Amino acid sequence: MGTVTLMLFGILIVLILLNVPIAIALASASLLVVLIEGSVPLTLFIQTSFSSMDSFPLIAIPFFILAGDIMSRGGMARRLVDFIQSFVGSMTGSLGIITIITSFIFAAISGSGAATVASVGAILIPYMLKSGYAPGYAASISASAGALGPIVPPSIVFILYAVMANTSISDLFIAGIIPGVLVAIALLIVNYFISKKEGFGTLNAEIEEKEKVGFWKALNEAKWALLAPVLILGGIYGGVVTPTEAAVVAVVYSLVICIFAYKEIGFNDFVGIFLKSAHTSGSILIFVSAASFFGQVLSIERVPQFLADSIAGWTTNPIIILLLINIFLLIVGMFMETVAAVLIFVPLLLPIVIPLGIDPIHFGMIVCLNLSLGLITPPLGINLFIGSNIANVPFEKTFKYVAPIFGALLIVLIIITYVPSITLFLPDLLGK
């Protein structure tokens, strides 16, 4: 690894330690190295930055974000909660069950982990607290269920990975179904045992009587929300629309339902919704632009080839290499936001795993699941911060409950890593 590469990473680390936003740090470090080194024209920055965003698949991201914001404001999450509560009933940890299942469905609409926690957690965490659930557990299970966002299609992280890896978004969406179900099952099992041990049950009698909604009434209220993932994912898997077109369909559908069916959004709400979505989308696209230029500089300096050759010189055993990559990504997820991690490290890691015969779709699932665990692990743990704020509980009070949840999800990660057929079964089946 040359002096230029060491300089690049050195400047990047210093800027991050100075609390410079990662996107700005990536672009600044790359530009400084290009200026100092002098062999690469500055026009490369402009060309790479614009060409990286000039991508039809990337258009799906702002539209899915907008659809998620509209559905959050428009009452879909609340209706999903009422529907799932109507058939879960009274059992051990029932509010945890409702949280997990609702989050799974909402993730299949919004594609975002943070949006799922904010929408579903804002409704269910107060119910849990009033029903005797420990605040730390209420925050932890909501945050963990929100981690389904990056691995349940239509995941925004899947789209970014597919663009960076030059692979099929639709195949990645299909591949995420079984791993997403496995993660949900793992959460349900952990929820049962923790709830049984701690004595967490259903809503207390007073709240249950006040909030209880009959099954058929709840189904009628939630039918449009339940139809959303069927429409979005069914259109993609059926070949009717591309993922980008499905994102536009999701926006139009959510607007029509939330304005005319649920009547919870008026034209006065549009400014706030669009500003919020634009802010989130703009942040992600700036990341894409900066990370693409950073990756271009790395490629010029042959860093991916250096890493691949170094690892190949040490071991070519895919089991060991995947283990090391998992450990590396788990650590990265603890300190770096998911979008940034995908954009920075996927171009570095793909040249290592492709020669080993590891399918890019399978590897994408490994990457996304690793980084989704970062949403519930300190010190970053954005989902935990959101859940803790809603539950009004100190961040550290969640650690007791997050530890067993993290352990269960780690088992799922190991299974998905070393049993590729779990991920590839549906893409292979539907691709025939």
Side-chain angles (χ1 to χ4, degrees):
M1 194 178 294
T3 305
V4 174
T5 304
L6 293 175
M7 187 191 309
L8 176 65
F9 282 101
I11 295 172
L12 177 63
I13 291 169
V14 168
L15 290 174
I16 291 174
L17 291 175
L18 291 174
N19 209 27
V20 175
I22 294 178
I24 305 300
L26 286 170
S28 301
S30 305
L31 275 172
L32 283 171
V33 166
V34 166
L35 286 170
I36 294 169
E37 208 261 342
S39 63
V40 178
L42 280 177
T43 53
L44 180 68
F45 171 67
I46 300 171
Q47 292 169 351
T48 304
S49 299
F50 276 91
S51 63
S52 64
M53 291 187 290
D54 185 20
S55 168
F56 183 71
L58 277 180
I59 300 174
I61 292 176
F63 280 109
F64 273 127
I65 289 171
L66 177 58
D69 287 339
I70 293 168
M71 292 172 185
S72 297
R73 185 79 70 89
M76 282 194 175
R78 191 185 70 252
R79 286 169 172 82
L80 287 172
V81 168
D82 289 342
F83 169 66
I84 295 166
Q85 181 184 327
S86 70
F87 67 80
V88 167
S90 299
M91 61 176 71
T92 301
S94 61
L95 286 176
I97 296 171
I98 295 168
T99 300
I100 295 163
I101 298 175
T102 305
S103 296
F104 185 92
I105 298 173
F106 195 82
I109 301 173
S110 69
S112 167
T116 302
V117 181
S119 301
V120 179
I123 298 168
L124 281 166
I125 287 177
Y127 285 174
M128 291 191 208
L129 299 182
K130 292 174 184 176
S131 299
Y133 283 66
Y137 181 68
S140 298
I141 195 63
S142 296
S144 304
L148 287 161
I151 53 174
V152 173
S155 163
I156 291 169
V157 180
F158 281 176
I159 298 172
L160 288 172
Y161 173 87
V163 170
M164 300 303 291
N166 194 27
T167 191
S168 167
I169 297 175
S170 297
D171 284 350
L172 204 54
F173 280 3
I174 295 168
I177 295 174
I178 295 177
V181 171
L182 288 179
V183 169
I185 291 172
L187 291 175
L188 289 169
I189 292 171
V190 175
N191 173 70
Y192 173 79
F193 283 108
I194 292 179
S195 298
K196 191 173 181 64
K197 179 184 175 184
E198 302 283 344
F200 301 148
T202 183
L203 289 167
N204 67 40
E206 181 182 346
I207 301 173
E208 187 170 15
E209 185 62 31
K210 180 181 178 182
E211 302 291 342
K212 188 174 182 180
V213 179
F215 174 79
W216 294 110
K217 181 180 178 182
L219 176 60
N220 183 58
E221 284 286 311
K223 63 181 183 290
W224 300 116
L226 293 169
L227 186 60
V230 176
L231 183 70
I232 296 166
L233 301 179
I236 296 172
Y237 303 153
V240 179
V241 292
T242 66
T244 302
E245 291 164 345
V248 178
V249 170
V251 171
V252 175
Y253 179 83
S254 59
L255 278 173
V256 171
I257 297 304
C258 293
I259 293 174
F260 299 107
Y262 293 159
K263 298 180 180 178
E264 294 201 15
I265 289 181
F267 291 101
N268 293 333
D269 299 313
F270 281 5
V271 174
I273 292 172
F274 278 86
L275 281 176
K276 184 174 181 291
S277 300
H279 180 270
T280 305
S281 303
S283 301
I284 291 175
L285 291 176
I286 289 172
F287 262 125
V288 171
S289 173
S292 296
F293 181 54
F294 182 79
Q296 188 80 357
V297 174
L298 291 179
S299 297
I300 292 170
E301 296 300 322
R302 296 183 59 81
V303 174
Q305 291 84 348
F306 172 81
L307 290 175
D309 292 343
S310 299
I311 292 176
W314 179 60
T315 180
T316 56
N317 187 330
I319 295 176
I320 295 175
I321 290 175
L322 285 176
L323 176 63
L324 293 174
I325 288 175
N326 273 332
I327 294 171
F328 173 72
L329 288 174
L330 285 172
I331 294 171
V332 166
M334 294 170 64
F335 296 96
M336 189 174 286
E337 199 269 341
T338 305
V339 170
V342 169
L343 295 174
I344 294 171
F345 293 111
V346 166
L348 290 175
L349 296 175
L350 266 179
I352 298 173
V353 300
I354 295 299
L356 301 175
I358 296 170
D359 192 287
I361 298 294
H362 176 219
F363 185 65
M365 203 56 54
I366 294 171
V367 171
C368 294
L369 184 50
N370 266 293
L371 297 177
S372 72
L373 290 177
L375 296 174
I376 60 169
T377 51
L380 186 60
I382 184 65
N383 280 17
L384 271 185
F385 273 112
I386 295 172
S388 299
N389 286 336
I390 296 172
N392 195 26
V393 62
F395 188 59
E396 59 272 13
K397 294 289 186 182
T398 63
F399 297 168
K400 169 185 173 183
Y401 300 105
V402 164
I405 294 173
F406 181 84
L409 297 184
L410 201 57
I411 293 171
V412 175
L413 172 62
I414 293 169
I415 293 171
I416 288 172
T417 299
Y418 294 112
V419 187
S421 58
I422 292 175
T423 299
L424 300 176
F425 172 73
L426 286 179
D428 289 345
L429 179 68
L430 297 176
K432 294 178 179 177

